[in-house]
Amino acid sequence: MARYIFITGGVVSSLGKGLASAALGALLQARGYSVRLRKLDPYLNVDPGTMSPIQHGEVFVTDDGAETDLDLGHYERFTGRSANKRDNITTGKIYSDIIAKERRGDFLGATVQVIPHVTDEIKNFILEGNEDFDFVLCEIGGTVGDIEALPFFEAIRQIGYELPKGEVIYIHLTLMPFVAAAGELKTKPTQHSVKELRSIGISPNILLIRSEREIPIAERKKLSLFCNVGEGAVIQALDVDSIYDVPIAYHNEGLDKEVLNAFNIKDSKKPDLKKWQEISQNIHSPEGEVNIAIVGKYTGLKDAYKSLSEALVHGGIANKVRVNMKWVDSEIFEQDDPSPILENVHAILVPGGFGERGTEGKIKAAQFARIRNVPYFGICLGMQMACIEAARNIAGLREAGSSEFGKVRDSIVGLMTEWTKGNAKLERDEDMDLGGTMRLGSYTAQLARGSRVADIYGTTSINERHRHRYEVNMAYRKVLEASGLIISGVSPDGKLPEIVERTDHPWFIGVQFHPELKSRPFDPHPLFASFIKAALGQDRLV
């Protein structure tokens, strides 16, 4: 029997509901329970695939090819359980499905309304497929009071009413601001947020209060009294140095204990937090440090590269070092020499992206890394720009480019028009919708025996997650390999390049996929572990 935990937010957005959900899931796992985490997003996009990463953050891709909210990355990293397309839903997807049913006549002439049709669709999504889990944690995006979130709040209210008593609880995450002029932490925003939540029929069982300062007992008692929540269920969530400190911090505050109390579970075993303690120790007591330049297009919002930055941290954990990330807007290099910035780093990473803006700067970063023998890691667009750099500056194809940016004489990178997934052939063209039409999800790649990447992975067959429309053109394979850039990984049919590497360089690898999506603190991705190790081997800054 699955028990349901609904996590809502109030006062302001971006308080860390996703992180809180992931940490609670990890704590319940540490007590021996099986958990599933899901995200309900109120926006009207069908999925975040066409949304700007500067506005929404990164798009996290699952093995089965779903483009989802970045919080699913937190869920995977903290619990080790791979998410799937049934773990994230949006208002847009719900309405799209309902309208399709209405057009087919599935509602038998009924007037289609928010209640019951939309709320029933949400409830069906939440309740289906949970037979094998002890706890299902559902995070509701946005904050209480948002108009677009009302159907979700109504749906989870109904679930609390319809399921047997003791099978549903609600956790409300809010902010307790510190007003410097008054010298006080203020409880009123949380009181109003809970009042708003109760006005739609939901009474929280637990309050999780974000604060930058210790919350005095008097304020906790006030919240307990005015919000009708037990004193022990008012949990402070203080800022910590690393997100991987959160599970231990929440356990020390009694969150997991209060959750079990709310379900009237008294015989749970103590949590085994040894692995979290080891991770925390490795992060806070490193044996060295490295400086990594991340030359990207969306550096204005760090969440645009959330999985990437966490994978670098994991690579640091694997090597027992601190990774200092230097975020560099690639557009800067389109006008300026990259040397003053890049000569002070141990390694360079060029991540993925879409569109032409900033790409010439990425090409310059790849050129600098090649010439100066600095470890280089190109991911997706970062691999493509490394190939264009080699074609232009070594092979002499001065007009080499990507058809993504317009017509070019030598299209080193071109639109992928067909590819194979399982036993099916997928096709696309330039006139198709952008949403959901990329090469998405997990695909197999074959690695060349004796290659650097085969040595790093310890195998010649891998599975990695993809998200892209354009590929390096295999018609230029001989040109690229003559310039020293070897295609060392390909699709099983040999038609699509997956990995390139330089044999004349200390560490220069480009991958078409996104390895950061599969990296976890307890299982760092081998490419990131190797990349950080290569950065450690640089004596150029000593």
Short mmCIF file of all heavy atoms in Angstrom, two decimals, residues 9-38:
data_model
loop_
_atom_site.label_atom_id
_atom_site.label_comp_id
_atom_site.label_asym_id
_atom_site.label_seq_id
_atom_site.Cartn_x
_atom_site.Cartn_y
_atom_site.Cartn_z
N GLY A 9 4.25 24.72 -1.81
CA GLY A 9 5.10 25.85 -1.46
C GLY A 9 4.30 27.12 -1.28
O GLY A 9 3.22 27.28 -1.86
N GLY A 10 4.85 28.03 -0.49
CA GLY A 10 4.17 29.30 -0.26
C GLY A 10 5.13 30.45 -0.08
O GLY A 10 6.34 30.24 0.05
N VAL A 11 4.61 31.65 -0.10
CA VAL A 11 5.29 32.93 0.08
C VAL A 11 6.04 33.33 -1.19
O VAL A 11 5.72 34.33 -1.82
CB VAL A 11 6.25 32.93 1.30
CG1 VAL A 11 6.88 34.32 1.46
CG2 VAL A 11 5.52 32.52 2.57
N VAL A 12 7.07 32.58 -1.57
CA VAL A 12 7.81 32.87 -2.80
C VAL A 12 8.17 31.55 -3.48
O VAL A 12 8.14 30.49 -2.86
CB VAL A 12 9.10 33.69 -2.54
CG1 VAL A 12 8.77 35.04 -1.96
CG2 VAL A 12 10.04 32.93 -1.62
N SER A 13 8.52 31.65 -4.75
CA SER A 13 8.97 30.47 -5.47
C SER A 13 10.46 30.26 -5.24
O SER A 13 11.12 31.08 -4.61
CB SER A 13 8.67 30.62 -6.97
OG SER A 13 9.33 31.76 -7.49
N SER A 14 10.97 29.16 -5.77
CA SER A 14 12.41 28.84 -5.72
C SER A 14 12.94 28.67 -4.30
O SER A 14 14.10 28.98 -4.02
CB SER A 14 13.23 29.93 -6.46
OG SER A 14 12.83 30.03 -7.80
N LEU A 15 12.08 28.16 -3.42
CA LEU A 15 12.53 27.89 -2.06
C LEU A 15 13.24 26.55 -1.93
O LEU A 15 13.90 26.29 -0.94
CB LEU A 15 11.34 27.92 -1.09
CG LEU A 15 10.77 29.29 -0.74
CD1 LEU A 15 9.57 29.13 0.19
CD2 LEU A 15 11.82 30.17 -0.11
N GLY A 16 13.06 25.69 -2.93
CA GLY A 16 13.72 24.39 -2.88
C GLY A 16 12.79 23.24 -2.57
O GLY A 16 13.17 22.30 -1.87
N LYS A 17 11.55 23.29 -3.12
CA LYS A 17 10.63 22.16 -2.91
C LYS A 17 11.19 20.88 -3.50
O LYS A 17 11.07 19.80 -2.92
CB LYS A 17 9.27 22.45 -3.52
CG LYS A 17 8.49 23.55 -2.84
CD LYS A 17 7.03 23.57 -3.31
CE LYS A 17 6.88 23.70 -4.81
NZ LYS A 17 7.43 24.97 -5.34
N GLY A 18 11.81 21.00 -4.69
CA GLY A 18 12.36 19.82 -5.33
C GLY A 18 13.46 19.19 -4.52
O GLY A 18 13.54 17.97 -4.36
N LEU A 19 14.33 20.03 -3.98
CA LEU A 19 15.42 19.54 -3.15
C LEU A 19 14.89 18.95 -1.85
O LEU A 19 15.38 17.91 -1.38
CB LEU A 19 16.39 20.69 -2.86
CG LEU A 19 17.71 20.33 -2.18
CD1 LEU A 19 18.48 19.28 -2.96
CD2 LEU A 19 18.56 21.59 -2.00
N ALA A 20 13.89 19.61 -1.25
CA ALA A 20 13.29 19.08 -0.03
C ALA A 20 12.64 17.72 -0.29
O ALA A 20 12.76 16.79 0.52
CB ALA A 20 12.26 20.07 0.52
N SER A 21 11.95 17.60 -1.41
CA SER A 21 11.30 16.33 -1.77
C SER A 21 12.35 15.23 -1.95
O SER A 21 12.19 14.11 -1.45
CB SER A 21 10.49 16.50 -3.05
OG SER A 21 9.52 17.51 -2.92
N ALA A 22 13.43 15.57 -2.67
CA ALA A 22 14.48 14.60 -2.91
C ALA A 22 15.15 14.17 -1.61
O ALA A 22 15.43 12.99 -1.40
CB ALA A 22 15.51 15.18 -3.88
N ALA A 23 15.42 15.14 -0.72
CA ALA A 23 16.07 14.83 0.54
C ALA A 23 15.18 13.95 1.42
O ALA A 23 15.66 13.00 2.06
CB ALA A 23 16.45 16.11 1.27
N LEU A 24 13.88 14.27 1.46
CA LEU A 24 12.96 13.44 2.24
C LEU A 24 12.88 12.03 1.65
O LEU A 24 12.85 11.04 2.40
CB LEU A 24 11.57 14.08 2.26
CG LEU A 24 10.48 13.29 2.97
CD1 LEU A 24 10.88 12.96 4.42
CD2 LEU A 24 9.15 14.04 2.93
N GLY A 25 12.87 11.94 0.33
CA GLY A 25 12.87 10.61 -0.30
C GLY A 25 14.10 9.82 0.10
O GLY A 25 14.02 8.62 0.38
N ALA A 26 15.26 10.50 0.13
CA ALA A 26 16.50 9.83 0.53
C ALA A 26 16.44 9.37 1.98
O ALA A 26 16.92 8.27 2.32
CB ALA A 26 17.68 10.77 0.32
N LEU A 27 15.84 10.17 2.86
CA LEU A 27 15.73 9.80 4.27
C LEU A 27 14.81 8.59 4.46
O LEU A 27 15.09 7.69 5.26
CB LEU A 27 15.21 10.98 5.09
CG LEU A 27 16.18 12.14 5.29
CD1 LEU A 27 15.49 13.30 6.00
CD2 LEU A 27 17.40 11.68 6.09
N LEU A 28 13.72 8.57 3.72
CA LEU A 28 12.82 7.41 3.81
C LEU A 28 13.49 6.15 3.26
O LEU A 28 13.31 5.06 3.81
CB LEU A 28 11.52 7.71 3.07
CG LEU A 28 10.64 8.80 3.70
CD1 LEU A 28 9.48 9.17 2.77
CD2 LEU A 28 10.11 8.35 5.06
N GLN A 29 14.26 6.31 2.19
CA GLN A 29 15.04 5.18 1.69
C GLN A 29 16.03 4.69 2.74
O GLN A 29 16.22 3.47 2.92
CB GLN A 29 15.82 5.58 0.44
CG GLN A 29 15.04 5.54 -0.85
CD GLN A 29 15.94 5.80 -2.05
OE1 GLN A 29 16.96 6.48 -1.94
NE2 GLN A 29 15.58 5.26 -3.20
N ALA A 30 16.67 5.62 3.44
CA ALA A 30 17.65 5.25 4.46
C ALA A 30 17.01 4.47 5.60
O ALA A 30 17.70 3.76 6.33
CB ALA A 30 18.33 6.51 5.00
N ARG A 31 15.70 4.56 5.73
CA ARG A 31 14.97 3.79 6.74
C ARG A 31 14.45 2.47 6.17
O ARG A 31 13.73 1.75 6.85
CB ARG A 31 13.81 4.61 7.29
CG ARG A 31 14.25 5.76 8.20
CD ARG A 31 13.04 6.54 8.71
NE ARG A 31 13.41 7.60 9.63
CZ ARG A 31 13.47 7.48 10.96
NH1 ARG A 31 13.21 6.30 11.52
NH2 ARG A 31 13.79 8.51 11.72
N GLY A 32 14.77 2.20 4.91
CA GLY A 32 14.39 0.92 4.31
C GLY A 32 13.13 0.93 3.48
O GLY A 32 12.68 -0.12 3.03
N TYR A 33 12.56 2.11 3.24
CA TYR A 33 11.33 2.20 2.46
C TYR A 33 11.63 2.43 0.98
O TYR A 33 12.66 3.02 0.63
CB TYR A 33 10.44 3.33 2.98
CG TYR A 33 9.96 3.15 4.39
CD1 TYR A 33 10.50 3.90 5.44
CD2 TYR A 33 8.96 2.22 4.70
CE1 TYR A 33 10.07 3.74 6.74
CE2 TYR A 33 8.53 2.04 6.00
CZ TYR A 33 9.08 2.81 7.02
OH TYR A 33 8.66 2.64 8.31
N SER A 34 10.71 2.00 0.13
CA SER A 34 10.82 2.30 -1.30
C SER A 34 10.02 3.56 -1.60
O SER A 34 8.93 3.77 -1.04
CB SER A 34 10.29 1.14 -2.14
OG SER A 34 8.93 0.86 -1.83
N VAL A 35 10.58 4.42 -2.45
CA VAL A 35 9.93 5.71 -2.70
C VAL A 35 9.85 5.98 -4.20
O VAL A 35 10.66 5.50 -5.00
CB VAL A 35 10.70 6.86 -2.02
CG1 VAL A 35 10.74 6.67 -0.52
CG2 VAL A 35 12.10 7.01 -2.59
N ARG A 36 8.87 6.78 -4.55
CA ARG A 36 8.73 7.32 -5.90
C ARG A 36 8.48 8.81 -5.77
O ARG A 36 7.68 9.25 -4.93
CB ARG A 36 7.56 6.67 -6.63
CG ARG A 36 7.40 7.15 -8.07
CD ARG A 36 6.22 6.48 -8.76
NE ARG A 36 6.24 6.73 -10.19
CZ ARG A 36 5.34 6.25 -11.05
NH1 ARG A 36 4.35 5.49 -10.61
NH2 ARG A 36 5.44 6.51 -12.35
N LEU A 37 9.16 9.61 -6.58
CA LEU A 37 8.98 11.06 -6.55
C LEU A 37 8.44 11.55 -7.88
O LEU A 37 8.88 11.10 -8.94
CB LEU A 37 10.31 11.75 -6.24
CG LEU A 37 10.83 11.54 -4.82
CD1 LEU A 37 11.92 10.49 -4.80
CD2 LEU A 37 11.33 12.83 -4.23
N ARG A 38 7.47 12.49 -7.80
CA ARG A 38 6.82 12.97 -9.01
C ARG A 38 6.65 14.49 -8.91
O ARG A 38 6.56 15.05 -7.82
CB ARG A 38 5.46 12.29 -9.19
CG ARG A 38 5.51 10.80 -8.93
CD ARG A 38 4.18 10.13 -9.09
NE ARG A 38 3.95 9.76 -10.47
CZ ARG A 38 2.91 9.04 -10.88
NH1 ARG A 38 2.00 8.64 -10.02
NH2 ARG A 38 2.76 8.74 -12.15
#
